[in-house]
Structure formats: structure tokens, C-alpha cells
Amino acid sequence: MTIPRQPTALLLVAAATILLAGCQGGFPADPQGTLDRAREGVLRVGVSENPPWTDVAADGAVSGSEVELLTDYAETIDAEVEWVPAGENTLAAMMREGQLDVVVGGLASDVPWTSEIATTRPYTTTTGPDGAEVKIVVGVQPGENALMTDIERFLAERGGEL
């Protein structure tokens, strides 16, 4: 007498069900939980002086089109913005150390700090001093893909792409 074998398809379905049950986390994910921490909390934004994108007053008050943009984004996640004014090199080092979530300042898509700062896809363009097109991006904590995706969705909606 032979023992009947289970159909292969049934075994594959059972294995897939077990594997999928273990994948309850959301995608994309933030290894450091940045978006979850910032939501209904504080979004730490580094800002470098670069008018008209960003202006930093002597008293530390910030303004400019990207300040307004990030303030509007923070409202979508019910976050307060903690502005951290500094030069780009300092902000890149702070991002590397995990002290910032986002960096703005009219950053060009070819920023030299790509090992410290991940960048969104360009959300607008401007003309550089040499007349060439410059693509403007927002810097995000590297690896924090949920935050990156959420900011890019916001930028796409704001730009009329969605």
C-alpha cells in the first residue's frame, strides 16, 4: 500500500501563507522609525542659507519657499518642525550622525554628500549661474525609505503630478 502524496500546489500555498504571515511590517520601512517618530511628534529639519529657497535670520528664524514647503509637509503628518540652521557641511555631518531627519537649502541633485544624505527625486528646477538647469531636491536620512516615499508623494501631489 502506498501513502498518497500531498499535491505540490497545496504545499506551496501553505508555505507562502506562512511566509506572508511573517511579513506583517509595512513597506517601505524606516529602519530607524523616523516617519513613525516624527508623526504627531517632531520633524528635525536642517536648513542652510540659500535664498530664495531658505533664509536664516540672525536670530535663527527661518523663512523661504522650502521652509514653507517643509512646514506644509509636517502638517500632513501632524508634526512640529524643529529647525536646525547650519552650513551644508555641518548639516551633512549631523545627518550622518542621525541628528536630522531632513535637510533643505535649495540642494542641487548633485550634492557632494550622497554618503551622508539621501535625496528625493528632483521636485523642481532652476537656472544656475552658468545658465545650466539645476534640479532641486530635499535631503533625507539615508535608509529611511518610508519617510522618503512620504515626502516624495507630498512633493508629487504639490507639483500636480498626482
Side-chain angles (χ1 to χ4, degrees), residues 21 23 35 45 50 65 85 91 119 151-152 155 162:
C23 297
L35 181 58
V45 180
N50 189 2
S65 61
L91 295 175
T119 60
I151 290 173
E152 287 192 335
L155 294 172
L162 293 179

Side-chain angles (χ1 to χ4, degrees), residues 24-86:
Q24 294 297 319
F27 289 102
D30 285 343
Q32 303 301 315
T34 302
L35 181 58
D36 287 339
R37 181 193 42 75
R39 189 172 273 128
E40 298 181 11
V42 176
L43 183 68
R44 304 169 304 181
V45 180
V47 57
S48 67
E49 175 82 18
N50 189 2
W53 309 102
T54 52
D55 288 301
V56 180
D59 66 357
V62 296
S63 61
S65 61
E66 284 191 336
V67 169
E68 292 172 18
L69 187 69
L70 264 290
T71 299
D72 290 349
Y73 169 71
E75 288 177 10
T76 70
I77 60 170
D78 296 322
E80 295 295 320
V81 179
E82 177 186 324
W83 298 104
V84 181

Side-chain angles (χ1 to χ4, degrees), residues 74-111:
E75 288 177 10
T76 70
I77 60 170
D78 296 322
E80 295 295 320
V81 179
E82 177 186 324
W83 298 104
V84 181
E88 290 176 350
N89 288 331
T90 300
L91 295 175
M94 291 177 76
M95 183 71 89
R96 181 182 59 244
E97 295 168 9
Q99 298 173 0
L100 299 173
D101 305 322
V102 178
V103 173
V104 294
L107 301 176
S109 61
D110 61 352
V111 295

